[in-house]
């Protein structure tokens, strides 16, 4: 890792370096907070979690070849150097920020209320046609995950695509300080994290903190169809590149053909020319992802042919509109997260199925004081959709059920827990059903996905 000697790391995080050998002048080979991932000459940062304290594993990482440890208390063993700090998580962020400054590759930061992960995947798929890309893994998009992602960048990487998620004011400012993005992508401003951000204007304000540390010649790519994002003016003296379905945007799509669960095709118009693209993942929102990826690709000098090929190569991600064919059902696994915007988009996607349609819906979290009304609104939306069976699970989802039951001509069921529903699968579901599974991550609906995959 370039310039990542223990001496420089200690200075970056303001820690006290206790040397005991000459390795303090060598570049470390990797950094982790997970003792299971330690390799020879890695630096281990001992952090205190809710259930596990990394300080308990210091002896283990020494035996596995760690070059040093960062810790909040002196380790019992003095066999390797250690850096003593007040707060290991703060040290992690400081070290990642220092390492970011050593890197000369383009950093793409992606944020928004909905679609961050799928947009990240699409952007990475396009950039991989020209570059060796590192992208955020899983949900590593917060103040722990982002620095860990940056610290995984090696000399072989030529670009990094970073997902940046927040739930409160000031959080994006801190993430931007670490990432210092060269290109910022904003997908939309929807209704999420309202407990802290209160309104869509609050969400826009909080998300816009991503610009606080954008590089001097940085570029902003925004969804120009979003009424909040379209108000963004010059950043660092440059207007954003706007993308969307409306022809007023700098990059836009038309001639859209919806192939249902098998994806979408469209024509993308740019100032460099037009391309016909096939998007193998379902949902109109994937068109916006493709447009965002086109914006980033053009910014980094990819050809239209490379962009076209990258869009066609996109693969599904578990929990994100992932289509799963089992012997009995077709599952739309969209259970990673949920808010009113993404819930309605998932319902719209289910409507395109050509079999009996079933929606298994769970609670949406972090919606603030209007959470009941927002669940009722989803119920009213579902009641108007052409869906044969609706299954509501969870305390808040009762309000979805309540809004549906008196205005729905087809089947609707309510269960307080997942287990209650799983005990009644055979009485509700039928072979060949297309089933949407959608809820906030805390509902753990992946358990339902796993159970349905095992049905024969």
């Amino acid at each position: 890792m370039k310039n990542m000697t223990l001496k420089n790391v200690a200075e970056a995080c303001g820690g006290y370096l206790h040397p005991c050998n000459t390795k303090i002048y060598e570049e470390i080979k990797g950094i982790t907070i997970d003792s299971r991932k330690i390799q020879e000459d890695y630096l281990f940062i001992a952090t205190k979690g809710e259930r596990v304290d990394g300080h308990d594993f210091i002896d283990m990482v020494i035996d596995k070849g760690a070059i040093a440890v960062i810790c909040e208390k002196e380790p019992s063993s003095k066999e390797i150097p250690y850096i003593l700090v007040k707060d290991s998580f703060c040290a992690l962020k400081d070290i990642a920020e220092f390492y970011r400054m050593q890197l000369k590759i383009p950093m793409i930061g992606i944020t928004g209320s909905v679609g961050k992960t799928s947009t990240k995947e699409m952007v990475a798929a396009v950039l991989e046609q020209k570059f060796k890309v590192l992208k955020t893994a899983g949900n590593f998009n917060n103040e722990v995950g982002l620095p860990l992602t940056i610290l995984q960048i090696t000399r072989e990487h030529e670009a990094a695509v970073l997902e940046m998620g927040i739930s409160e004011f000031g959080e994006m400012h801190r993430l931007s300080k670490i990432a210092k993005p060269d290109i910022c992508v904003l997908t939309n401003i929807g209704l999420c994290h309202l407990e802290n951000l209160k309104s869509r204007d609050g969400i826009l304000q909080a998300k816009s903190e991503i610009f606080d540390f954008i590089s001097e010649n940085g570029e902003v790519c925004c969804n120009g169809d979003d009424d909040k994002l379209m108000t963004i003016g010059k950043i660092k003296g440059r207007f954003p590149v706007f993308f969307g379905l409306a022809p007023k945007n700098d990059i836009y799509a038309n001639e859209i053909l919806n192939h249902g669960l098998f994806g979408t095709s469209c024509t993308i118009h740019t100032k460099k020319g037009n391309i016909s693209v096939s998007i193998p993942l379902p949902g109109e929102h994937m068109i916006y992802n493709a447009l965002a990826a086109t914006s980033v690709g053009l910014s980094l000098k990819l050809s239209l042919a490379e962009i076209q090929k990258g869009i066609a190569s996109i693969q599904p991600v578990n929990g994100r509109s992932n289509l799963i064919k089992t012997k009995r059902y077709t599952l739309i696994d969209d259970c990673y997260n949920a808010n009113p915007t993404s819930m309605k988009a998932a319902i719209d996607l289910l409507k395109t199925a050509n079999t009996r349609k079933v929606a298994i819906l769970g609670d949406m979290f972090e919606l603030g004081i209007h959470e009941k009304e927002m669940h009722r609104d989803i119920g009213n939306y579902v009641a108007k959709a052409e869906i044969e069976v609706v299954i509501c699970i969870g305390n808040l989802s009762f309000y979805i059920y309540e809004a549906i039951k008196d205005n729905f001509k087809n089947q609707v069921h309510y269960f307080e827990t997942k287990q209650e529903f799983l005990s009644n699968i055979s009485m509700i579901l039928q072979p060949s059903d297309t089933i949407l599974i959608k809820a906030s991550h805390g509902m753990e609906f992946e358990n339902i996905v796993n159970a349905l995959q095992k049905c024969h």
Side-chain angles (χ1 to χ4, degrees):
M1 300 179 73
K2 185 178 179 181
N3 292 333
M4 297 293 280
T5 64
L6 293 181
K7 181 176 181 297
N8 288 344
V9 167
E11 290 178 0
C13 67
Y16 165 72
L17 173 61
H18 175 83
C20 72
N21 58 43
T22 58
K23 282 195 171 185
I24 63 170
Y25 303 106
E26 296 179 14
E27 288 184 349
I28 59 182
K29 292 183 178 178
I31 299 176
T32 183
I33 63 173
D34 188 338
S35 60
R36 298 167 297 183
K37 296 182 179 179
I38 283 293
Q39 300 179 37
E40 190 76 21
D41 289 337
Y42 266 46
L43 173 65
F44 176 65
I45 303 180
T47 57
K48 295 179 181 177
E50 294 181 2
R51 289 175 290 185
V52 178
D53 187 344
H55 293 80
D56 296 336
F57 300 94
I58 288 177
D59 289 340
M60 177 193 299
V61 301
I62 292 172
D63 292 340
K64 293 175 72 172
I67 193 172
V69 297
I70 288 179
C71 46
E72 297 175 3
K73 55 188 178 184
E74 290 189 3
S76 57
S77 172
K78 305 297 192 296
E79 295 178 21
I80 62 172
Y82 63 88
I83 299 171
L84 200 61
V85 297
K86 290 183 179 179
D87 187 311
S88 294
F89 284 113
C90 288
L92 170 66
K93 289 185 279 191
D94 290 339
I95 293 166
E97 182 182 351
F98 173 75
Y99 185 51
R100 163 66 182 99
M101 295 168 67
Q102 316 307 309
L103 302 170
K104 304 302 179 184
I105 65 174
M107 296 278 188
I108 298 90
I110 297 176
T111 193
S113 298
V114 180
K116 292 185 293 295
T117 298
S118 54
T119 302
K120 175 255 299 182
E121 293 293 326
M122 188 75 81
V123 170
V126 166
L127 297 187
E128 282 167 356
Q129 305 309 307
K130 184 174 182 178
F131 304 114
K132 177 70 175 178
V133 178
L134 180 130
K135 63 184 178 182
T136 300
N139 62 341
F140 274 45
N141 64 3
N142 58 18
E143 290 188 72
V144 176
L146 179 76
L148 287 173
T149 299
I150 290 174
L151 290 170
Q152 290 176 4
I153 297 172
T154 66
R155 284 184 169 87
E156 68 176 357
H157 291 119
E158 300 168 311
V161 183
L162 307 173
E163 183 178 330
M164 301 168 70
I166 62 165
S167 59
E168 62 185 26
F169 291 110
E171 191 173 0
M172 184 62 76
H173 176 87
R174 297 189 293 272
L175 292 179
S176 181
K177 185 172 185 288
I178 298 168
K180 296 178 173 57
D182 299 297
I183 301 175
C184 298
V185 179
L186 283 79
T187 62
N188 47 58
I189 302 298
L191 297 170
C192 63
H193 305 302
L194 293 174
E195 283 182 319
N196 297 320
L197 304 181
K198 305 303 181 186
S199 68
R200 289 184 70 220
D201 287 326
I203 295 167
L204 175 63
Q205 178 186 338
K207 298 288 186 183
S208 296
E209 292 173 2
I210 194 173
F211 307 139
D212 291 355
F213 293 91
I214 190 173
S215 60
E216 194 60 37
N217 297 311
E219 187 165 290
V220 175
C221 303
C222 288
N223 179 350
D225 292 347
D226 185 287
D227 62 322
K228 298 297 182 183
L229 292 179
M230 66 185 296
T231 66
I232 294 175
K234 285 184 177 180
I235 305 296
K236 296 279 187 176
R238 301 175 66 180
F239 283 108
V241 174
F242 288 106
F243 59 84
L245 302 186
K248 65 176 182 177
N249 290 295
D250 302 297
I251 297 171
Y252 71 95
N254 65 4
E255 299 176 348
I256 296 167
L257 291 175
N258 191 330
H259 307 298
L261 297 180
F262 300 98
T264 310
S265 57
C266 65
T267 299
I268 294 179
H269 299 259
T270 81
K271 293 177 181 178
K272 297 290 186 181
N274 306 332
I275 47 174
S276 296
V277 299
S278 295
I279 306 169
L281 302 184
E284 186 176 274
H285 61 285
M286 288 296 172
I287 300 175
Y288 284 94
N289 299 344
L291 291 167
T294 301
S295 303
V296 175
L298 290 175
S299 178
L300 294 178
K301 312 302 182 187
L302 270 72
S303 69
L304 290 175
E306 288 171 326
I307 292 170
Q308 183 183 48
K309 184 178 178 182
I311 290 171
S313 73
I314 186 70
Q315 297 293 313
V317 178
N318 287 344
R320 313 279 186 161
S321 299
N322 183 22
L323 204 62
I324 303 172
K325 293 285 290 184
T326 76
K327 292 181 179 180
R328 192 173 180 87
Y329 310 119
T330 297
L331 308 179
I332 304 174
D333 171 16
D334 203 357
C335 66
Y336 179 77
N337 220 335
N339 57 50
T341 304
S342 66
M343 187 72 85
K344 290 178 181 179
I347 296 299
D348 291 343
L349 174 58
L350 177 62
K351 285 162 56 178
T352 67
N354 57 9
T355 67
R356 196 176 81 135
K357 295 170 279 291
V358 179
I360 302 176
L361 308 178
D363 295 356
M364 301 177 290
F365 296 147
E366 298 183 22
L367 294 181
I369 60 174
H370 298 297
E371 60 183 6
K372 294 179 182 178
E373 290 86 345
M374 291 182 183
H375 282 80
R376 288 193 186 98
D377 180 59
I378 294 299
N380 291 327
Y381 192 83
V382 174
K384 298 173 184 176
E386 296 178 0
I387 296 172
E388 285 79 7
V389 182
V390 180
I391 298 156
C392 304
I393 303 172
N395 295 330
L396 289 171
S397 293
F398 175 78
Y399 299 101
I400 299 178
Y401 169 77
E402 188 177 59
I404 294 174
K405 64 183 176 69
D406 295 328
N407 301 295
F408 194 58
K409 61 183 178 181
N410 297 322
Q411 292 185 49
V412 58
H413 305 270
Y414 173 73
F415 299 98
E416 191 170 330
T417 67
K418 297 188 294 291
Q419 192 53 52
E420 286 180 30
F421 160 67
L422 293 173
S423 299
N424 288 275
I425 285 178
S426 61
M427 293 188 294
I428 300 173
L429 302 182
Q430 297 177 6
S432 301
D433 281 348
T434 298
I435 306 169
L436 168 69
I437 305 99
K438 181 73 173 172
S440 281
H441 190 57
M443 291 294 289
E444 298 181 346
F445 267 28
E446 61 269 21
N447 296 335
I448 295 177
V449 174
N450 294 335
L452 294 179
Q453 285 181 277
K454 296 175 182 175
C455 292
H456 296 289

